[in-house]
């Protein structure tokens, strides 16, 4: 899988953030609290719909300064390619919904998104969880 582009809005420390990624090994560096772990965990959560690597509940991930303003959107979006198929996957915290754009269609039902990722794209969440996004502290055990 190649993560090509990430767009983040009001998620953790990010108000508006976009980043293109090349192929190969990617290194992230920055000051403590700058959002390195949030970025990696956000990509993981977007691909797997598992926000368990964040403390608290999902709504706690919404950027503090907009948490009390229901008109402010909060989402994490990943544009990626897997085995020749490009897709865009968005997990919104506000409004609380997900969408997958692939093969010229948009899927918004959570179970259908997960099924499509697994069956049509061949994205094995167990593989992603075990080998691609190894949690800090489990890398060298």
């Amino acid at each position: 899988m190649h993560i090509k582009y990430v767009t983040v809005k009001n998620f953790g420390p990010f108000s508006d953030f976009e980043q293109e990624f090349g192929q190969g090994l990617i290194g992230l560096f920055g000051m403590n609290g700058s959002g390195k772990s949030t970025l990696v965990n956000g990509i993981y959560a977007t691909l797997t719909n598992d926000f368990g690597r964040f403390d608290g509940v999902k709504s706690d991930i919404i950027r503090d300064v907009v948490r009390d303003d229901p008109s402010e959107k909060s989402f994490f979006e990943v544009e990626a390619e897997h085995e020749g198929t490009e897709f865009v996957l968005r997990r919104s915290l506000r409004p609380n919904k997900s969408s997958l754009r692939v093969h010229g269609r948009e899927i918004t039902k959570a179970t259908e998104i997960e099924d499509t990722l697994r069956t049509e794209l061949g994205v094995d969440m167990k593989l992603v969880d075990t080998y691609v996004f190894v949690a800090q502290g489990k890398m060298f055990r």
Side-chain angles (χ1 to χ4, degrees):
M1 179 181 298
H2 173 209
I3 306 297
K4 294 182 169 191
Y5 203 83
V6 170
T7 305
V8 185
K9 174 85 173 162
N10 293 322
F11 193 99
F14 301 107
S15 58
D16 285 296
F17 178 81
E18 296 180 22
Q19 182 64 52
E20 184 175 359
F21 293 100
Q23 291 201 356
L25 184 64
I26 304 293
L28 300 174
F29 59 94
M31 301 289 292
N32 286 344
S34 63
K36 301 176 301 292
S37 294
T38 300
L39 186 63
V40 171
N41 290 338
I43 294 170
Y44 172 83
T46 301
L47 292 174
T48 63
N49 202 25
D50 176 0
F51 287 79
R53 292 186 178 188
F54 292 100
D55 292 333
V57 296
K58 279 174 61 173
S59 62
D60 290 343
I61 307 165
I62 297 173
R63 190 164 177 255
D64 288 342
V65 297
V66 300
R67 191 172 292 152
D68 294 331
D69 183 355
S71 68
E72 287 284 347
K73 292 182 178 182
S74 175
F75 65 83
F76 205 105
E77 183 175 274
V78 170
E79 296 179 34
E81 178 271 325
H82 186 66
E83 295 185 357
T85 301
E86 293 186 356
F87 65 95
V88 179
L89 180 58
R90 177 183 282 198
R91 303 290 182 175
S92 292
L93 301 175
R94 185 185 294 145
N96 186 12
K97 66 178 187 174
S98 298
S99 68
L100 172 64
R101 292 190 312 268
V102 63
H103 301 304
R105 68 187 202 273
E106 183 171 10
I107 302 165
T108 57
K109 188 175 178 185
T111 55
E112 192 176 344
I113 289 172
E114 310 316 317
D115 289 344
T116 301
L117 287 171
R118 187 180 63 257
T119 60
E120 291 185 36
L121 296 175
V123 178
D124 180 345
M125 293 307 160
K126 181 80 168 155
L127 181 75
V128 168
D129 188 45
T130 305
Y131 297 106
V132 180
F133 289 94
V134 179
Q136 288 181 355
K138 293 185 178 182
M139 190 174 293
F140 301 107
R141 287 185 184 182

